[in-house]
Amino acid sequence: MDWPGTGTLVATCAGGTEGIVRQEIERLGMRVVPDPHSRGPSGAVTFAGTAREMIRANIHLRCAGRVLVPLVDGAVTSYDDLYRLARR
């Protein structure tokens, strides 16, 4: 996998379990970063990592559903915003 440096990763989880997932990520030695678009519990925890750390997180996180790599970033407040962001 060709992935230069460290990128942003997102671990999805059930609402209310973000604190547990955050602790699991930190125990793996990864750095949790605040999501600039979050307005509270969102069912996800954002963290920094390399391709190798993404694989480790997918294997070792027990309370997360998936570990995702964001393709675009932006604020979305409506379906039209989401459509425009996806098109970009």
Side-chain angles (χ1 to χ4, degrees):
M1 175 181 242
D2 185 26
W3 183 348
T6 301
T8 300
L9 303 170
V10 178
T12 63
C13 58
T17 63
E18 296 89 355
I20 297 168
V21 173
R22 187 175 294 111
Q23 288 175 356
E24 288 183 341
I25 291 168
E26 289 171 346
R27 283 189 195 125
L28 289 173
M30 297 175 214
R31 182 175 53 90
V32 174
V33 295
D35 181 356
H37 304 294
S38 179
R39 296 181 187 171
S42 61
V45 178
T46 305
F47 63 104
T50 63
R52 182 176 300 258
E53 289 169 323
M54 176 189 62
I55 294 167
R56 281 184 52 230
N58 268 305
I59 293 169
H60 295 289
L61 292 178
R62 296 178 296 172
C63 294
R66 293 188 171 101
V67 177
L68 308 173
V69 178
L71 300 177
V72 294
D73 183 29
V76 175
T77 58
S78 69
Y79 288 114
D80 290 334
D81 290 346
L82 179 61
Y83 180 76
R84 280 190 285 278
L85 184 63
R87 271 189 76 167
R88 199 172 50 157

